[in-house]
Amino acid sequence: MTKSMNNYAKLLVVTTVSLLLLAGGLAALADESNQLTGREIIKKVYQRDTYEDRKSSMKMTLINDKGDEKVREIRQLERDVGEVDKKIMVFTSPRSVEGTAFMNWSYEDDSEDDQWLYMPALGSIRRIAGGDQSDRFMGSDFTYEDLGERTLDEDKHK
């Protein structure tokens, strides 16, 4: 497993736990958790009722080999419009990346996500082609592929 996939797996676990807490499903799963496999728990997460609109604030901390940290703040908006889940992430700080935006459209039919990156310094929008999905996202260990939707069987769950 690559470092990027390992980081994505950690992010997926944190996100999953957070969603379970928010949805109030953790209490219901607590009694069953001794009997459920990891795959069964994640399947329940994927099958949960969700809101059509979501917004969140995030911090991305980049740590280099010397231990120096760069913190980037991001505002994320999501909207489920039926067969398409639309997500946009806008960097709000630091000033060097402020206004940079990433948009992802995920399709219910499991076709490849559509992704775009807006860079205000260049005043341009770049579509992320399928062949570029393994490129690093904004200097992090994440790839563009990591930021798209995942299906249940793309990962192993414990």
Side-chain angles (χ1 to χ4, degrees):
M1 182 182 296
T2 66
K3 185 176 180 181
S4 174
M5 291 302 290
N6 193 17
N7 287 339
Y8 182 79
K10 289 177 187 175
L11 178 65
L12 182 62
V13 169
V14 170
T15 302
T16 300
V17 170
S18 298
L19 289 171
L20 284 171
L21 286 171
L22 290 172
L26 190 59
L29 289 175
D31 294 334
E32 301 176 23
S33 65
N34 293 333
Q35 301 159 9
L36 295 175
T37 66
R39 186 181 188 287
E40 291 168 332
I41 292 171
I42 298 301
K43 184 176 181 181
K44 285 181 177 275
V45 170
Y46 280 15
Q47 292 173 338
R48 77 195 183 290
D49 288 333
T50 59
Y51 297 98
E52 290 180 7
D53 299 320
R54 295 171 290 280
K55 56 184 167 180
S56 57
S57 297
M58 301 180 281
K59 284 189 179 182
M60 176 190 291
T61 304
L62 304 175
I63 305 171
N64 68 15
D65 294 339
K66 296 177 185 177
D68 299 327
E69 295 185 2
K70 289 183 186 178
V71 177
R72 296 178 173 179
E73 295 184 12
I74 305 164
R75 183 82 170 138
Q76 179 172 286
L77 303 170
E78 292 181 68
R79 173 165 277 174
D80 184 351
V81 290
E83 296 182 9
V84 183
D85 185 29
K86 298 179 178 184
K87 178 184 345 179
I88 188 164
M89 299 167 57
V90 180
F91 286 79
T92 57
S93 75
R95 192 160 179 77
S96 61
V97 296
E98 185 177 1
T100 300
F102 170 76
M103 186 165 62
N104 187 85
W105 289 13
S106 297
Y107 302 97
E108 200 171 275
D109 66 3
D110 292 332
S111 60
E112 189 173 285
D113 291 359
D114 285 319
Q115 298 178 326
W116 300 268
L117 183 66
Y118 170 70
M119 296 178 282
L122 301 175
S124 67
I125 298 171
R126 177 174 78 103
R127 186 174 190 285
I128 309 301
D132 295 334
Q133 299 228 333
S134 61
D135 290 352
R136 300 280 177 215
F137 174 70
M138 297 293 293
S140 72
D141 288 336
F142 293 106
T143 65
Y144 291 101
E145 182 179 31
D146 293 336
L147 300 174
E149 293 295 316
R150 301 200 54 87
T151 61
L152 180 64
D153 292 319
E154 284 184 90
D155 303 296
K156 293 180 183 177
H157 306 284
K158 293 182 182 181

